Amino acid sequence: MKKPVYLDYAATTPVDPAVAADMMNFLTLDGVFGNPASRTHVYGWQAEAAVENARRQVAELIHADPREIVWTSGATESDNLAIKGVIGQRKKGGQAKAHIVTSVIEHKAVVDTCKWLEQGGVEVTWLRPDREGRIAPEVVAESLRDETAMVSLMMVNNELGCVTDIAAIGALLRQRGVLFHVDAAQAAGKLPVDVSALNVDLLSLSAHKVYGPKGVGALYVRRSPDVLVEAQMHGGGHERGMRSGTLPTHQMVGMGKAFEVARESLDAEPARLEELRDLFLSGLEGLEGVHFNGSREHRVPGIVNLSFEGVEAESLMLGLRHLAVSSGSACASATVEPSFVLRGIGVSDELAHRALRFSFGRFTSAEEIEFVCSQIVDVVTRLRAVR
Ligand SMILES: *Cc1c(COP(=O)(O)O)cnc(C)c1O
């Protein structure tokens, strides 16, 4: 069976072949399989060297010091560690009151972590984005209180592809002395990310959104002045005590290589994706009643969210047999609720039920985009005709 064209890069990316090749060298007897925490023999030392090389590769993409990188199992864990870790540390320090500022269109890993803390008595302010899905710095400024412990916002929204002005928000939070956590799972490798220029204190990363393997990620934790994060996983005291557990060397190597490739591609890849995006949108120009969700100006090129008047997203996806896309976000697609992100930017329930997210990346070709456009035009026209 010929597989459908993959336009769901925001859900996950295929592992880059160069990444997979590197990872293979860290598994078997003839490879570097040792425990990176083993200090007594060469097996351990080699594994540790590989992990530290990967840590440097990850740090370089975001202009951090390698010592500021804490390995995790993915951005979900990084988000949990950042938010629960900061609040836990604050409570340990005797400050009973805590207040978090976040938004209604964050990834579930942030939304549900904050809801869980809210149930435990932490106060949470849920900011609303503008119609484009961006959080305005003034809205953040107005939400701050004396007891605000942290602000957590995403850089690039996974459903809309819009980009929030993290630098402006970072500058104002630094001035107010409030910690800033940024989920950059969809930003890394797509936009330049510089943790110092952005004034970010904690930053979540995932490998599998950047052509690395699933099941590995990282949390950037600022040093000097040290940001203190209470461990959520207890054990051997790995990762400066913030995250215990034996490091899966091949996963670290994979993420490191993926981030190195991403850094090398940062000059040329966005322009190529921009061309594909133009091709995609112009290929749909003949179709009436198509609504664009998100920001036309402040966005990454590889994510396009569109609502098609008069066609349910579910029927459209069924009709588009040769195309793999998402309606709403992948994590929410087990439920029939319209996307909370689309609702959050004021899209009507009707149009939210008619929205599809198209996301493409490194291995998408112009031929695929042209094929996809002709399919969409055909299926939408056909579905509208039988209404
Ligand atoms: C994918 C994603 C996550 C979750 O990352 P995992 O590594 O799959 O846990 C968190 N935040 C955003 C914005 C994402 O796109």
Side-chain angles (χ1 to χ4, degrees):
M1 185 196 98
K2 194 169 177 297
K3 285 208 269 180
V5 175
Y6 187 74
L7 287 196
D8 209 5
Y9 276 72
T12 195
T13 58
V15 173
D16 191 286
V19 171
D22 274 10
M23 290 174 69
M24 295 297 282
N25 300 323
F26 294 84
L27 292 162
T28 53
L29 179 62
D30 58 355
V32 177
F33 68 87
N35 186 330
S38 293
R39 290 283 154 77
T40 49
H41 47 67
V42 69
Y43 296 88
W45 302 331
Q46 285 180 338
E48 188 192 21
V51 165
E52 293 315 312
N53 184 52
R55 199 188 297 278
R56 179 187 53 74
Q57 290 168 315
V58 169
E60 270 179 14
L61 184 69
I62 60 167
H63 301 268
D65 184 304
R67 291 171 298 178
E68 296 174 310
I69 301 298
V70 174
W71 296 114
T72 66
S73 61
T76 298
E77 187 189 337
S78 301
D79 289 343
N80 272 266
L81 178 57
I83 300 170
K84 292 177 187 168
V86 163
I87 298 300
Q89 189 67 36
R90 197 178 154 95
K91 293 208 162 147
K92 240 177 20 188
Q95 283 167 285
K97 267 186 153 181
H99 173 232
I100 301 177
V101 176
T102 185
S103 92
V104 295
I105 61 160
E106 296 305 302
H107 190 272
K108 283 277 181 194
V110 168
V111 168
D112 285 3
T113 299
C114 289
K115 279 188 184 162
W116 182 81
L117 287 168
E118 206 172 26
Q119 282 166 2
V122 173
E123 290 201 43
V124 180
T125 297
W126 300 93
L127 301 179
R128 301 194 63 85
D130 63 17
R131 304 278 308 184
E132 298 193 336
R134 305 174 75 225
I135 307 295
E138 311 80 67
V139 174
V140 177
E142 283 162 18
S143 71
L144 301 178
R145 307 181 195 162
D146 289 343
E147 68 273 19
T148 305
M150 72 192 305
V151 174
S152 176
L153 295 172
M154 68 204 326
M155 188 159 177
V156 174
N157 183 275
N158 49 306
E159 283 191 47
L160 303 167
C162 56
V163 184
T164 280
D165 191 348
I166 295 300
I169 297 169
L172 87 89
L173 292 179
R174 181 55 51 89
Q175 208 179 14
R176 298 284 295 263
V178 175
L179 290 179
F180 193 16
H181 166 244
V182 171
D183 181 335
Q186 293 289 351
K190 300 189 177 107
L191 294 170
V193 176
D194 181 328
V195 286
S196 297
L198 296 174
N199 282 310
V200 163
D201 300 294
L202 299 139
L203 184 117
S204 299
L205 297 165
S206 176
H208 76 95
K209 304 289 173 66
V210 194
Y211 309 95
K214 293 164 193 52
V216 58
L219 179 66
Y220 159 80
V221 182
R222 178 175 295 284
R223 284 165 60 97
S224 62
D226 273 11
V227 174
L228 298 178
V229 173
E230 186 187 46
Q232 304 299 305
M233 191 96 82
H234 301 95
H238 308 72
E239 301 299 289
R240 293 194 283 136
M242 279 182 266
R243 206 280 192 174
S244 288
T246 298
L247 295 175
T249 312
H250 61 297
Q251 298 287 76
M252 271 87 245
V253 166
M255 180 162 177
K257 179 67 178 179
F259 274 48
E260 184 178 279
V261 175
R263 189 166 55 85
E264 289 163 353
S265 321
L266 213 45
D267 283 337
E269 200 158 290
R272 197 186 75 86
L273 294 179
E274 199 68 47
E275 281 174 21
L276 290 182
R277 182 181 193 274
D278 288 347
L279 192 63
F280 179 64
L281 289 176
S282 65
L284 298 180
E285 255 166 18
L287 217 48
E288 307 261 308
V290 180
H291 297 256
F292 179 89
N293 304 313
S295 174
R296 287 187 188 274
E297 196 187 342
H298 305 281
R299 42 118 188 114
V300 292
I303 301 178
V304 181
N305 193 312
L306 301 173
S307 293
F308 298 85
E309 265 176 34
V311 238
E312 291 281 336
E314 299 305 317
S315 338
L316 185 50
M317 279 205 294
L318 276 179
L320 294 168
R321 279 180 303 125
H322 303 294
L323 181 53
V325 291
S326 269
S327 69
S329 80
C331 315
S333 57
T335 62
V336 287
E337 282 281 292
S339 147
F340 68 93
V341 172
L342 292 174
R343 267 188 176 165
I345 61 167
V347 173
S348 67
D349 278 5
E350 171 162 331
L351 280 179
H353 276 303
R354 286 158 174 65
L356 290 184
R357 176 186 69 185
F358 304 89
S359 51
F360 41 88
R362 187 172 296 164
F363 306 106
T364 309
S365 67
E367 291 70 39
E368 283 179 317
I369 293 287
E370 281 165 0
F371 169 74
V372 160
C373 286
S374 73
Q375 293 278 303
I376 296 172
V377 172
D378 282 359
V379 176
V380 170
T381 309
R382 188 157 48 78
L383 287 173
R384 281 179 180 166
V386 298
R387 266 192 300 162

